[in-house]
Amino acid sequence: MSTNSLPAPDGPPAAPGLPTPDHSSRLRTALLAAGFTVDGLLDVLGAAAYAALARSETVPALRATRGDSPLETLVRLFLLQLPVPAARAEAALPLAEALADGWVVRDEAADRAGAGQIRATVDVRPYGGPEGQDWFIVSDLGLSVGGAGGASGHHEGVVLGVGGASTTLAGLTVRTPVGSALDLGAGSGIQALHAAQHATRVTATDLNPRALAFTRLTLALSGAPEAELRAGSLFEPVAGETYDLIVSNPPFVISPGARLTYRDGGMGGDDLCRTLVQEAGERLNDGGFAQFLANWQHVEGEEWQDRLRSWVPRGCDAWIVQREVQDPTQYAELWLRDSGDHRTDPADYAARYEAWLDEFEARRTTGIGFGWITLRKSGAARPSVVVEEWPHSVEQPLGETVRAHFERQDYLRTHDDAALLTGHFLLAPEVVQEQVGLPGAEDPEHVVLRQHRGMRRATEVDTVGAGFAGVCDGTLSAGRILDAIAQLVGEDPVLLRDRTPQSIRLLVEEGFLTPTAPPAQGGPAAEGAG
């Protein structure tokens, strides 16, 4: 999450003072041998200390690492960022190479006292890949565990480690094999690391050269292929190039100014996110996806849904989900705490708070939305643009759910009501039926279909809808099912066929039903059309 609208620096990425990946394979081998993995951390720390560490609370982890095992040494060195005795560091690391490459340094103050201490120069955090891979995310000291967490002393070029936004985007991303992927605003490299597992070529860009250096370290220490690293703003470093997948966790914070590169976009209001979305269309190959996290303004006198629809580029389908809305005061307080301003002089804090509220007032901002934006380059004459609010719990990863959403939109776009009735459908395997009514009543007052996976949607259906969904196993066409239901309930089948397609369309759109191919002709389940 580090790219903005400011001019790009000249020359290749450079980050003096950061480690080099020259002996990263040896360091990786040592980390794995010591059990410095997600599972290893849970074992040595215990569930309570592990959870506390994610909240930036280090005392339980300190108490759990009082021994001298290599794993305890590595936790203290790279996660708790404490100096450790040189002898313990040498037992846990290829120390000569780690010193030469700059992963660790000798603690000069301790050395003058004859203590022989080693300290880390960067934060290295174990991170589990989607298929159980043992990866490592490299970031600035003190900022990996728990994200920013209100830590004071952030400098403009700071590079954060893994946070909730990073893992959310990684879980949302469609993971089909692709030829090319672009991680725009790479930060510490988590999105590039994921993309390297299913993309032949990965390009990572960032305005901040330090971020590109950290991306390189993350990929190398995780044993992943190298990425093309390009410094610059927005799509400038990849002008004229197109991709099958674009992902970005941009500096989407709507703020008065651009104090912190990792979060502040440097454009007014939500212009950075709007620009990213609008320019992504021409950077996508046909069928390609672009997936972003974003903030957007709720502006007095405008519908927020219409505002976001206007961002969608021509030739693209879109699925935009608003997960949360904050009023301007909540939003300002959140990001003032994030940068540690609440710990500064009260007068300075009040002045910064005023500046945020002045900015929102000038822009007639009544609220700030946060959510997900996914584009797919379809080239359709009638694009599908779904904008919805969904603050409820979901089950990550959602990449397959996102892919299936657009596949169903393709189906619905090309099937009118008559075609729907000839179609065959499967009830999604995770859907259950709930009946609500008074105890002892013959019929339920409400019938609800509920998903227990993915978006975890629920929808109320009538008895016809419930019966229809319950027998959708792909064997019979929708029309044949409705004819059978009409006979059971004593309803005119023609009228039932006329009034039901809209309900079927909704069940397909929301993922309760999935279109499927009809049974092979001539088999035992074959039946006539419609």
Side-chain angles (χ1 to χ4, degrees):
M1 181 178 172
S2 178
T3 178
N4 70 19
S5 60
L6 302 176
D10 295 327
L18 292 182
T20 65
D22 296 346
H23 300 93
S24 56
S25 60
R26 284 205 63 195
L27 179 58
R28 173 177 171 80
T29 298
L31 297 180
L32 295 178
F36 190 59
T37 64
V38 172
D39 290 341
L41 287 182
L42 188 58
D43 288 341
V44 74
L45 298 179
Y50 186 84
L53 197 59
R55 301 190 301 270
S56 300
E57 295 290 347
T58 59
V59 172
L62 285 167
R63 292 171 61 87
T65 55
R66 291 170 171 169
D68 59 1
S69 72
L71 177 54
E72 289 166 295
T73 298
L74 293 172
V75 171
R76 285 189 164 240
L77 185 65
F78 286 119
L79 284 186
L80 302 181
Q81 282 126 40
L82 297 172
V84 301
R88 287 181 57 183
E90 193 158 19
L93 295 169
L95 185 56
E97 288 91 339
L99 285 166
D101 291 351
W103 293 94
V104 296
V105 294
R106 297 192 182 276
D107 191 300
E108 294 180 1
D111 279 349
R112 283 197 295 269
Q117 299 278 300
I118 300 295
R119 62 177 176 84
T121 61
V122 290
D123 195 324
V124 178
R125 181 180 184 179
Y127 177 77
E131 297 178 2
Q133 302 99 323
D134 289 314
W135 291 339
F136 301 96
I137 308 300
V138 188
S139 65
D140 270 315
L141 288 169
L143 296 168
S144 175
V145 176
S152 60
H154 287 180
H155 55 86
E156 181 186 353
V158 71
V159 177
L160 301 185
V162 180
S166 300
T167 54
T168 293
L169 179 59
L172 285 173
T173 303
V174 176
R175 297 296 175 194
T176 52
V178 294
S180 57
L182 170 65
D183 177 8
L184 195 153
S188 57
I190 179 174
Q191 310 306 330
L193 178 57
H194 278 277
Q197 312 308 304
H198 64 103
T200 303
R201 176 174 64 91
V202 177
T203 302
T205 70
D206 206 292
L207 180 71
N208 181 3
R210 296 184 78 254
L212 295 175
F214 276 114
T215 292
R216 186 183 181 205
L217 294 173
T218 290
L219 293 172
L221 197 57
S222 298
E226 293 184 3
E228 296 180 37
L229 305 177
R230 303 187 190 180
S233 175
L234 303 180
F235 288 105
E236 291 170 5
V238 293
E241 298 181 43
T242 58
Y243 297 87
D244 301 310
L245 174 67
I246 298 171
V247 291
S248 183
N249 175 22
F252 52 67
V253 177
I254 300 170
S255 61
R259 290 174 57 212
L260 299 172
T261 306
Y262 76 88
R263 71 168 201 194
D264 301 321
M267 291 186 180
D270 52 18
D271 284 354
L272 178 95
C273 292
R274 176 184 56 79
T275 300
L276 275 177
V277 173
Q278 289 180 335
E279 293 185 357
E282 63 185 23
R283 305 295 181 185
L284 283 174
N285 294 325
D286 289 344
F289 286 91
Q291 299 187 261
F292 309 94
L293 300 186
N295 273 174
W296 45 79
Q297 296 167 220
H298 286 223
V299 178
E300 183 180 355
E302 295 182 23
E303 294 291 336
W304 68 269
Q305 296 94 331
D306 293 340
R307 180 182 183 83
L308 291 176
R309 287 189 185 97
S310 73
W311 293 8
V312 178
R314 189 173 183 178
C316 288
D317 296 334
W319 186 18
I320 302 173
V321 181
Q322 179 167 273
R323 296 286 290 157
E324 182 182 4
V325 182
Q326 291 185 313
D327 68 49
T329 60
Q330 292 174 312
Y331 190 80
E333 291 163 11
L334 169 67
W335 293 108
L336 287 167
R337 286 193 301 272
D338 169 84
S339 56
D341 288 316
H342 62 310
R343 297 174 180 169
T344 62
D345 180 77
D348 291 340
Y349 174 78
R352 293 195 189 281
Y353 201 152
E354 286 274 7
W356 283 69
L357 297 186
D358 287 344
E359 176 82 2
F360 291 136
E361 184 176 342
R363 295 182 178 277
R364 299 184 295 116
T365 303
T366 61
I368 300 90
F370 166 79
W372 318 323
I373 298 177
T374 299
L375 307 176
R376 186 191 56 165
K377 187 71 168 287
S378 67
R382 293 186 298 115
S384 165
V385 178
V386 176
V387 183
E388 63 175 318
E389 185 163 21
W390 190 255
H392 312 292
S393 64
V394 298
E395 184 185 55
Q396 286 273 33
L398 280 169
E400 178 57 24
T401 299
V402 172
R403 186 204 60 76
H405 165 88
F406 287 95
E407 193 171 81
R408 294 193 306 272
Q409 294 304 314
D410 281 343
Y411 179 89
L412 293 172
R413 180 164 42 210
T414 56
H415 288 71
D416 59 16
D417 288 355
L420 277 182
L421 293 177
T422 67
H424 295 245
F425 302 93
L426 292 172
L427 181 67
E430 75 279 3
V431 173
V432 298
Q433 178 178 303
E434 299 174 358
Q435 297 186 172
V436 181
L438 294 173
E442 184 174 345
D443 297 313
E445 294 178 13
H446 305 287
V447 178
V448 175
L449 300 181
R450 186 178 302 277
Q451 301 169 354
H452 283 273
R453 303 288 298 275
M455 293 295 286
R456 293 179 173 167
R457 299 186 188 275
T459 188
E460 187 175 334
V461 293
D462 59 16
T463 54
V464 171
F468 179 87
V471 296
C472 279
D473 61 0
T475 302
L476 299 175
S477 69
R480 290 285 297 275
I481 293 173
L482 290 177
D483 290 345
I485 292 175
Q487 186 174 359
L488 285 173
V489 301
E491 188 170 339
D492 185 331
V494 175
L495 294 178
L496 191 59
R497 279 176 172 247
D498 285 344
R499 70 178 177 85
T500 306
Q502 189 58 38
S503 298
I504 298 174
R505 193 172 293 275
L506 178 63
L507 291 174
V508 172
E509 180 173 329
E510 295 193 340
F512 292 93
L513 297 178
T514 302
T516 187
Q521 294 298 315
E527 46 97 5

